[in-house]
């Protein structure tokens, strides 16, 4: 039961952070997908960084931080919806660019977080 409470607490914080970043980017007049991109890239970096720290130090915290907080902070469902919206408005170039940038940037930032945390690649 305690494990579920850690996940729920992390998810509550992650969801509030996610909504805050979306509202800030929308009020700044940025494109509709900016908030999702920002949270997913921050989440990719944080996942790489904190997963290494948790694994390396055999510490608890994965439930709260990774499953709860980052799980609700980042959003694949919204990314998918925004890609669909780009298709429906006929912006095919931005659709392809958005997919490529998300996948490549996410991978690079996860690896960077891992390395900054002290992990090394072979």
């Amino acid at each position: 039961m305690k494990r579920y409470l850690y996940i729920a607490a992390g998810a509550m914080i992650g969801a509030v952070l996610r909504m805050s970043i979306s509202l800030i980017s929308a009020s700044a007049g940025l494109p509709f997908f900016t908030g999702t991109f920002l949270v997913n890239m921050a989440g990719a970096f944080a996942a790489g960084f904190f997963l290494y720290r948790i694994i390396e130090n055999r510490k608890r915290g994965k439930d709260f931080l990774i499953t709860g907080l980052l799980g609700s902070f980042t959003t694949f469902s919204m990314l998918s919806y925004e890609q669909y919206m780009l298709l429906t408005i006929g912006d095919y170039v931005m659709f392809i660019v958005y997919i490529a940038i998300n996948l490549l940037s996410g991978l690079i930032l996860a690896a960077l977080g891992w390395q900054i945390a002290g992990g090394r690649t072979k």
Side-chain angles (χ1 to χ4, degrees), residues 15-25:
V16 170
L17 289 172
R18 164 75 175 98
M19 184 57 137
S20 299
I21 290 173
S22 291
L23 291 173
I24 291 168
S25 65

Side-chain angles (χ1 to χ4, degrees), residues 57-72:
N57 298 318
R58 301 191 198 306
K59 289 186 178 177
R60 295 188 154 196
K62 185 177 177 190
D63 291 336
F64 171 80
L65 191 59
I66 305 300
T67 304
L69 195 143
L70 291 179
S72 68

Side-chain angles (χ1 to χ4, degrees), residues 52-81:
Y52 175 80
R53 290 292 184 179
I54 289 167
I55 291 167
E56 181 68 17
N57 298 318
R58 301 191 198 306
K59 289 186 178 177
R60 295 188 154 196
K62 185 177 177 190
D63 291 336
F64 171 80
L65 191 59
I66 305 300
T67 304
L69 195 143
L70 291 179
S72 68
F73 180 65
T74 60
T75 173
F76 185 76
S77 57
M78 194 61 178
L79 172 65
S80 299
Y81 169 76

Side-chain angles (χ1 to χ4, degrees), residues 29-47:
L30 298 171
F32 69 90
F33 50 80
T34 305
T36 302
F37 179 76
L38 292 173
V39 298
N40 284 342
M41 294 309 105
F45 177 83

